[in-house]
Amino acid sequence: MEPRRDPRGALVRPYAVTRGRTEPSRDIALEAVLSASLTQATEARFAGHDKYRIATVCEGRAQSLAEIAAYTRMPLGVTRVLVADMVAESLLTLHTAAPAEGYEERMNLLGRVLSGLREL
């Protein structure tokens, strides 16, 4: 899906899009998967041009944060700030792969599986 080109071009500086913020309100990994329902995309229309572009990219197909930045041709830092805002405003749904609890246990298990595969 090719997003529409921004008629403003390079006239708008990234810090203007994020209102001077350089850090997102919550940490979202580059590989985090985000999606937008039809209702969320419709509501994003009233949240601003850039947020609407992000919502349309995620509507009907889950995208990673990195993919969103690439498809919208926005700098990654700007995309991180806007996506974090959109998750907080319920304009995007953040899908997590696994809970943070038990990370060490999962890594130990994966290490044992890898060792076993190497012995084969």
Side-chain angles (χ1 to χ4, degrees):
M1 171 182 196
E2 180 70 28
R4 292 184 301 173
R5 295 224 179 232
D6 190 352
R8 298 175 294 179
L11 297 175
V12 178
R13 299 287 182 223
Y15 63 83
V17 174
T18 62
R19 296 186 178 133
R21 293 175 296 139
T22 58
E23 293 295 320
S25 57
R26 70 184 290 169
D27 189 32
I28 298 177
L30 289 175
E31 67 277 3
V33 178
L34 300 128
S35 66
S37 67
L38 177 61
T39 304
Q40 289 170 316
T42 303
E43 290 176 15
R45 181 182 305 253
F46 304 105
H49 175 74
D50 295 309
K51 289 182 179 180
Y52 180 64
R53 283 176 48 206
I54 291 170
T56 57
V57 166
C58 296
E59 182 185 1
R61 181 173 166 208
Q63 304 284 344
S64 71
L65 179 62
E67 289 173 316
I68 294 169
Y71 286 134
T72 59
R73 295 188 173 140
M74 284 194 279
L76 185 58
V78 172
T79 306
R80 289 184 94 165
V81 171
L82 293 177
V83 164
D85 290 348
M86 292 177 73
V87 169
E89 296 165 2
S90 298
L91 296 175
L92 285 178
T93 303
L94 175 64
H95 304 279
T96 56
E101 303 87 33
Y103 175 78
E104 288 294 324
E105 184 178 311
R106 287 194 315 274
M107 292 308 293
N108 289 337
L109 174 63
L110 289 174
R112 291 192 309 266
V113 168
L114 183 58
S115 295
L117 289 173
R118 285 182 178 151
E119 289 178 10
L120 292 177

